[in-house]
Structure formats: C-alpha cells, structure tokens
Amino acid sequence: MNINVGIIGFGTVGTGTVKILLQNGPLIKERTGLNINIKRVADLDITRDRGVSLPSEVLTTRAEDILMDPEIDIVVELIGGIHPAKEFIMEALERGKHVVTANKALLATEGEDIFRKAKQRGLLIGFEASVAGGIPIIKVLREALVANNILSVYGIINGTSNYILTKMSEDSMDFHEALQRAQEKGYAEADPTFDIEGIDSAHKLTLLASLAFGIPLAYNSIYTEGISHLKAEDITFAEELGYKIKLLAIAKKVDREVELRVHPTMIPQGYLLSKVDGVLNAVYVVGDAVGETLYYGRGAGALPTGSAVVADIVDIASVIAGRCMPPRSHIPETTDLRIKPHEEVECMYYFRFSAIDKPGVLSKISGILGAHEISIASVIQKGRRVGKAVPLVLLTHRAREADVQKALREINQLDVVEGETVLIRVESEE
Ligand code: HSE
C-alpha cells in the first residue's frame, strides 16, 4: 500500500527523516508492506544542499501545498516553535490528515487544542520524536508498559544541559564556558534558555507525565529550575560526598498525588542515571509489575530524531492500512489525581552556606534547621579561615520544601552567613 507523506520543515530533523525514508524505505516496505512516499517537502529555503536528493517537484516553499493536497495522508510538522506550527497542525487535522510532530514546546503548552481536535476528527498525533529523540519512550509508556501502574519516571531529557554538567564535572569548566562549547557544537536550542533553565525538560516531562499517569497536560504545574546558577565548586563538593549532579525531570505518583518537577538533582554515583554523560539522554521508569526499567540513547540529532519520526509515520500508515489498532493517542482532559504543590514535596537537601569561621556558627544554623523539623545527616566545613567566610556544606534527611524555604530565609539573615545559600535537592534512598 502507498502512503503519501508531506513534511513541513527541511531542517536538521526534516533532513534526517528524508534521509532515512530514502535509504531505509525498501527495508520498511519489506517489513510492513507499506510504501512511504515523500510526496512534498516544504521549507522557506529549498535551494540549500542538504546532502539528500529529492526530485525538484517534491520541494515547495509553501506549506499550503502540503495542507491542501488531498492525496497526502500524513503531515509531518518539523518547523518547531508555536506559530505557525500550531496553525499548520490544526489545518492538517481540519483537512482529515494525521499528524506527526517533534514539537514538544507546542504540545506541552497548546496540546490540549491539538489533541482535542484530533480526537474529534478520529485522527492520530504521533509525537515520539518530541521526547528524548531516538529513545522510543512514548511507545514504552503508551504501549509496552500498558500493563503497569507507573510509579515514577526520572529523566535526563535535555542533552545540552547534560553536556554542560558533564563538562563542568570532567573538565572543571565553569558554566559559561561549558555553555559556549555546547553552542559551538550545535547542541543548544535556538534559544539556549529553554535548555539551561529546565524549560525544554519541563515541556518533555509534561508529555511523559500525561502518558504515565493519565493526567492532562500540566506544564504550568511543573516546578522548574535550571542549571545556570550551578557553580563548579558544588559539583566538586557533591562528588566528594559520593553524588553526581544531573538535571532531572521527575514525575512520581504517591497515592492520589503526582509530583512534577525539573531541577538540578544530586544522585548517588552508583545509580545508572549518574553515568549518563555528555549529550546522551536516559529515562528511568518504575512500573508496579515490571519494576525498574531504563532507556538510554541519543536525545537529539538528525538521524536519531528522524528515526522516531519515521517510526510514527509507519505506525500511522499501518493504522491507515487497517493492519493494527490505533495506539492510544489522546491526552486526557481531566483527572482525579492531584498535582502536589511544590511546597509539599519532600526530599533530602544539600546546602552550601558561606559562613564565618568562628565558634557557635554551626549551632546557630543547626538550631534554625531543627526548629523547622529539618534533621541534619552530615556537615563538612571546607577549609579553615578564622573570622572569614568558608563554605559550610550540609546534607539533610528528608524534609519538606516549605520548611526548607522558611529555614533558609532565617539563616540567610544571620550576620554570620554571607552571600546566597546554595540549595540542591537530593534523590536517594535514605
Ligand atoms: N535541545 C534539546 C536537547 C534537543 O538539548 O536535548 C531536542 O529536544
């Protein structure tokens, strides 16, 4: 059977998708009996050499040539951003076409309209490429683990920030130097703020959490903190204490509540996630039947992301051909689960105070922590400078975020504490 595809956006992922379809099209046909035909590719620039050869009549500068073409079954949106990507997708659905997209920012923030429209029209939205590039994590949550109550999802799902943290750890670079390296290598998003401030991870977590827990898209409820404020010395102290710092996207269900957060997180060096370095991504999922599982691979790049796009095209083509049941494609609009407010979250904490080196200082700090029910697990003073500020590093047992914030406000007002206190959340067995 012949399935016609129109691709809007001939950038990195668009080129990877075309390359895979041209090279592996015969293999896909052999495996599925489906001939995936690239009917049109639209981009504002159709003259640049991308290292793939398409007949000139396939290329167009007008997205309308794809959206209006009654022979196109699947529209692949790969331009990114909110506008006009949303309008193109809505128009494609209006015209009865299935959609494949890698656009996590769009789905996380405007996805409700898109999924509702697709549901009304009985059409499918494939978005495997929007989270963790080549790792088939959407399929895992939607299909492979369908027999499980998902208990938790922990992801390293932004390659740029993972690359930066790896450079800060392995090459002792400061944050800005490591970011510059990431930009030179072309890893960062057009606006690196999305990568380094946790926003890209929060977009992706929105989609993962919805699939894992059957909740509506909850981007605005995710506590999001990035890595731009991290200092090389905290990475060193964390490593001395036996931890690595990773930007984790965390979704956990406890009873009828879901925690959703993205922040730099200290995890024990023995955890597999702590060994995920450079631009690589990994997602750790715990299900009540399957137990712990881990998925690892390339979270970006033309071919890894193109691999996910093509997988979605083939899945939808199989449904069109009547070969299989449509995968669960729609995002729920309601839930009876409560998204836990961040102040109620409990975890362990790392604090670095800049405290004056003199007798009685530690007891003042620990007194305030104790008054707020925060129990100290260990304390290290780094260096000795009598009467001057030194780093004082503390690890706590499990504590409540609201108590921690109140205690830190009081501690920061002490005249023996200088500058800003650093707080990093710790995820580990107690
Ligand atoms: N900029 C993203 C990252 C890749 O650094 O992981 C695409 O999602």
Side-chain angles (χ1 to χ4, degrees), residues 24 66 101 157 159 179 218 267 299:
N24 295 353
I66 290 175
T101 177
I157 47 180
L179 169 61
I267 49 175

Side-chain angles (χ1 to χ4, degrees), residues 239-258:
E239 289 178 3
E240 280 177 27
L241 291 162
Y243 294 87
K244 287 285 236 182
I245 301 179
K246 294 290 177 191
L247 181 67
L248 285 195
I250 301 172
K252 279 194 219 181
K253 188 165 101 178
V254 181
D255 301 324
R256 305 305 298 160
E257 291 189 322
V258 178

